[in-house]
Amino acid sequence: MDRQNIDSAQPGRLRVEVRTVGGSELLAPRGELDHHTAELLRVPLDGALDAGRTRLVVDCSELEFCDSTGLNVLLGARMRAEAAGGGVHLVAMRPAVARVFRITGADAVFTLHDSLDTALPG
């Protein structure tokens, strides 16, 4: 599923590809995750959780930017996933995005992976 435009989100600044891989929901945001585009990631995260998929893998390799709104979207998904016995796994964060997680301490509450090979059980 490619979502480009939800409500007031700015199309083209963030694209999110979603697919199911085994028991995991794999989400691959590409572009900038911020106040204007956060719904483009929130909607498929919520959709996966609402459908009972609680192991969420977010491939951050093409995520160029993440602000506090984007971070809060991921933290909200993490709380819901963990409450249902699952979790959120973040993969291959670029240095600029990893810095936001490190500064806020959020890197300590997510499961981080260097590659999809380690994030997806197989």
Side-chain angles (χ1 to χ4, degrees):
M1 166 186 356
D2 253 356
R3 290 194 144 328
Q4 293 183 38
N5 191 7
I6 296 174
D7 295 331
S8 64
Q10 295 180 359
R13 289 197 42 225
L14 184 74
R15 293 178 58 124
V16 180
E17 293 180 20
V18 180
R19 64 187 171 151
T20 302
V21 179
S24 300
E25 192 77 353
L26 175 61
L27 300 98
R30 289 177 171 79
E32 299 176 6
L33 178 59
D34 60 23
H35 172 74
H36 300 289
T37 62
E39 285 301 304
L40 294 170
L41 183 58
R42 184 188 329 266
V43 168
L45 285 168
D46 285 347
L49 291 163
D50 291 345
R53 293 184 296 280
T54 60
R55 189 174 195 289
L56 307 176
V57 176
V58 181
D59 178 357
C60 299
S61 63
E62 298 296 324
L63 188 61
E64 299 167 6
F65 177 80
C66 180
D67 73 358
S68 61
T69 305
L71 178 61
N72 283 328
V73 166
L74 291 166
L75 286 167
R78 175 193 155 266
M79 289 176 59
R80 284 190 64 199
E82 287 185 357
V88 175
H89 300 257
L90 303 179
V91 181
M93 281 194 284
R94 292 179 172 199
V97 174
R99 184 171 187 263
V100 171
F101 282 75
R102 199 171 40 256
I103 287 170
T104 61
D107 59 341
V109 299
F110 287 97
T111 304
L112 306 178
H113 301 270
D114 291 331
S115 71
L116 282 174
D117 289 339
T118 62
L120 295 169

